[in-house]
Amino acid sequence: MKKQIGGEYNHLKIEPKWRKVWEKKKVNLTKDTAKGKKFYVLDMFPYPSGTGLHVGHPRGYVATDVYSRYKRMHGFNVLHPMGWDSFGLPAENFAIKNKINPVISDKINVKRYKEQISILGLNYDWSREINTTDPNYYKWTQWIFLQLFKKGLAYESFEPINWCPSCKTGLANEDLEDGKCERCGTVVEKKPMRQWVLKITDYADRLLKDIDDLNWPESVKESQRNWIGRSEGAELEFKVVDSKSSIKVFTTRADTLFGVTYVVLAPESKLVGELKTQIKNWPEVEKYMAEAKTKTEIERTAVNKSKTGVALKGVFVINPATGEKVPVWMSDYVLADYGTGAVMAVPAHDERDFAFATKYNLPIKEVIIPVRIDKRNPPVPGKEKVTRQNVQVVVRNPKDNKILCLQWKKHDWRTFPMGGTDGEDILTAAKREVLEETGYKNLANGKILGGQVRAEYFAAHKDVNRVSYTTLVSFDLKDEERAPISKEEADQADVFWADLKTLTVDFMTHAEMDIWLERIGKEVTAYTSTGVLINSGKFDGTDNEKAEKEITKAFGKVKVSYKLKDWVFSRQRYWGEPIPVVHCDKCGVVAVPEKQLPIKLPKVKFYEPTGTGESPLAAITKWVNTKCPKCGGKAKRETNTMPQWAGSSWYYLRYINPKNKKALVDKKKEKYWMKNGVDLYVGGTEHATRHLIYARFWHKFLFDIGAVSEKEPFKQLKNQGMVLGSDSRKMSKRWGNVVNPDEVVKNVGADALRVYEMFMGPFEQEIAWSTDNMVGSRRFLDKVWKLQERISGNPLRLTSELIAPRVSRNQEVDHKFETLLHKTIKKVTEDIVNFNFNTAISAFMILVNLAEKIEITKADYEIILKMLAPFAPHMTEEIWAKLGHKKSIHLEKWPDYNEKKIISEKIMVMVQINGKPRASFEMPVGSTQAEVEKAAFARDDVSKWLTGKEIIKKLFIKERILSLITN
RNA sequence: GCUCGAGUGGCGGAAUAGGUAUACGCGCAACACUUAAAAUGUUGUCUGCGAAAGCGGAUGCGGGUUCGACUCCCGCCUCGAGCACCA
């Protein structure tokens, strides 16, 4: 057996060898020059859990690695760092369970993560490694807190907050999923307690506005917009009768002000105290408030829950628009912490108010009605306008569900029985019309289906424009008994019964038909859509959108509300950054002087959360008892710690200057590396509304105090899709579907894993892992390796007939390969830039499939290797060295393509006949229509479709298509 | 309920300023090499009719625009994500 001169591709030898060389030669260290074009590529740093990495984690890391190597080969000064986000509950819970100091388990986990990441051959500059639990790091996290505190953006609050009874800590709104603790899934409670809160709402407007300029996935931007939840509306004041108090409400529907029939307060409303003396049923109200407190968020907001509430008897307020006295209620459908904690209720035009009003028998006053202009008989300009009150009647026969209709004789009209009401009761008028027009006598279950609809049309027989206000009424037919119909009516229309399905907008003549279809046979509730105002004094007839502005101006002021809440920033747990303040008996809350930072987390014996609202730190009296920096008197340290999101809200800045002892980052270096922000940030979507909002908030704050030079931290964001187990479930111990990268690296090599991670599917898409599919990636690398044997004139080349070229070198082959090579350079270049790694790999495969069939030159092979180097850094480096290079391939320049070589002089032209592709053939580039036609008609596969036919239309698109239409 | 995204072979997926759908990979089948297997290589692999040449059909469903639609428009269905009593 012949020994292969090219040698065996043994990843087990090659990969560790080169990693050592790179480390020794410091290939991956970033120059700290602050000169030249920079590119900052950032991964969301991991939380090093005890379970280690699975093959999903490297997907993002490999992508940033490929991208950063690609940028380096373009001459950029690239920063690509890695670190650890180690504070947090799992480490603490592990410590509790195993009685191990989290500092120690942290060290073990970081070591394991780093090993796993290292064997992938990623080009991180480890000299910049950071860890959020390192006091030299969290010194600056605490420093930022102090700056926030000084600016009044960190404050103590005693409002009820989300409390997880299992984790025994308060949580921010962002830490909840469906009202449950994001960590452990326990339903959270509302618990009033002292806590630290950051005033992120001060930045709500800027956080929202600046989203527009970010090069981020649309879904993440949309999530943030939703989360911030800006809504513009009006603040209106309702004076309380016989009191100095007044109730302010926030509404986005000021146009419905005339329809207010009551006002509702949230159970937590502070106003209740002011009104207490007026409330006649105080015990009842107090009971309701107490009940509301014990309910969880889930119980209160359950979708199908029926509304509850209690009237504040004796309390009335004045509608500022009408001067009407309306009652005040309390209900937990009103949220205390949104808007003003009070709403004006307009049951006619709000679903929630409607449900509440129906349940408690409160009046419903309609002030907005829809408008329809009849398209078949539009109003004629200049004609007199006549207003009419109408009723239209839907009579259903319960036996066959058919609806009673009229077919008009003189016109092609189909309508329901209808007519003017002339001030009659609506149901009476409706019954009368049915009797007169159809003769049916016995109707049951009369129901008014919603409010009036205004319609405008031209009544030709009266030569006037009519404006009708129509009410729709429904009945069930009791029996078939009919009275005779007058001749006049009988001459006008025929009676027929129709299936509801056939009563479409086109079939029926009513201009209001689309609205009727939404009401017939359905539960009619509030009308929440657009229209014109009625029952609204001088605003009657005004378009509601216009009226909203005018009424706001007349009776209140414009107000903006946000869904975003201030960030609950304290945790009653051990494993987090201590909040650097002390509580002094004399001076109150006092900031720790910056000189004293970091306030180190002391060692404790017990990590268990106390559940009392104090962290386990409270038990360390030595640590807790201190001196007040202001008066020197006795003081106690703050024992709450910061949430996990604190350290990650600014870590990207520390990589720039990780050892700086004087500042969180050197200003000059920050200005260089953060110009336009982090250039590329890659991580999972799970951080869309937490980390990514918090970090933007802190960055904007740091910008405001002059610590950083840009207003946004992350210019471009890419989300990697999650890698699922081969069973399409989330990879987890629980399902036993976790694939460990170490195993894969051992079996097929880090390079094959890297190539597969990039090839498996679109980067941003979720995808199931498949070890079977991965063999394709390894085979591809094997082929690239074996190309060594195909180099013409290379001493490495094998001469055995087995691997002799199947196609000998000639001009045509050379040309074909050259064209493909340059096309591939172009494609791979563009694909990397656009994160289309899967198609980049596919382009490589196509090129290599051709290359392995022919002889190639050393120069061409080197081009392939250089392009492949970011994907398969070990193997390409090995071949590169074997080809005689002394310097690393990773310091090479990225190959250029020649646009001229991509364009071939011949091109495929297609002939379509009657829209079907019938023939395709090669033509020289630039062929004219006449030339293509001549060539086409000479072909059998074209002419056979044309015999006996006449060409009636020709269409020619140069270098693409000739389209022929025959008769 | 509202907002956003996606539906293409047995599987992962290509192809959208409208122009030969199914590239590339996996799997499968046959063949070659082998005592044999693995590995490797070669060929084939959407579907219906047909011996073949060939002809027709198919990109979630139904319409439309166009010489021509995976791509654009209208109406649905399904799946995924985010928000959800936010006034």
Side-chain angles (χ1 to χ4, degrees), chain A residues 653-712:
Chain A
L653 293 170
R654 193 62 180 172
Y655 287 131
I656 292 168
N657 197 193
K659 310 237 156 69
N660 193 331
K661 291 203 165 145
K662 291 187 181 142
L664 65 90
V665 58
D666 175 76
K667 278 200 175 170
K668 218 169 129 193
K669 288 178 179 170
E670 187 277 334
K671 211 168 176 184
Y672 171 71
W673 285 110
M674 287 300 289
K675 174 114 195 197
N676 293 322
V678 169
D679 297 277
L680 175 65
Y681 194 22
V682 175
T685 44
E686 67 273 20
H687 294 115
T689 52
R690 285 171 230 167
H691 162 59
L692 287 171
I693 283 191
Y694 293 149
R696 290 182 63 220
F697 163 43
W698 276 31
H699 198 85
K700 284 182 184 303
F701 170 71
L702 291 173
F703 174 77
D704 289 350
I705 62 168
V708 300
S709 52
E710 297 277 340
K711 57 180 189 171
E712 281 289 334

Side-chain angles (χ1 to χ4, degrees), chain A residues 266-375:
Chain A
E268 299 86 355
S269 173
K270 297 238 163 63
L271 268 172
V272 179
E274 283 178 38
L275 302 171
K276 191 175 167 182
T277 50
Q278 268 182 287
I279 299 171
K280 286 181 185 151
N281 55 337
W282 178 247
E284 203 188 336
V285 173
E286 203 174 20
K287 195 178 151 220
Y288 186 79
M289 286 162 51
E291 278 168 7
K293 242 184 225 172
T294 63
K295 284 190 197 169
T296 65
E297 199 71 4
I298 288 190
E299 284 165 342
R300 273 185 64 162
T301 60
V303 180
N304 296 321
K305 191 200 84 163
S306 95
K307 302 226 173 332
T308 62
V310 59
L312 304 188
K313 285 184 182 154
V315 182
F316 293 90
V317 292
I318 302 294
N319 183 328
T322 61
E324 277 169 350
K325 222 168 102 174
V326 296
V328 177
W329 284 67
M330 172 182 285
S331 170
D332 64 5
Y333 83 89
V334 177
L335 307 175
D337 49 8
Y338 182 75
T340 60
V343 302
M344 59 179 222
V346 188
H349 305 292
D350 181 279
E351 303 275 1
R352 296 152 299 180
D353 299 341
F354 183 89
F356 192 80
T358 314
K359 180 166 175 184
Y360 292 104
N361 264 322
L362 290 155
I364 297 171
K365 182 183 170 194
E366 205 187 358
V367 289
I368 290 178
I369 59 171
V371 176
R372 291 295 179 271
I373 311 288
D374 195 329
K375 280 180 201 139

Side-chain angles (χ1 to χ4, degrees), chain A residues 814-846:
Chain A
D814 275 358
H815 180 72
K816 197 174 159 193
F817 183 74
E818 191 179 44
T819 305
L820 184 62
L821 179 66
H822 281 263
K823 268 188 187 165
T824 307
I825 299 171
K826 186 179 182 190
K827 172 91 177 137
V828 170
T829 304
E830 288 171 357
D831 280 352
I832 291 176
V833 172
N834 296 319
F835 263 61
N836 295 325
F837 303 111
N838 55 332
T839 50
I841 301 288
S842 140
F844 272 124
M845 288 171 169
I846 293 167

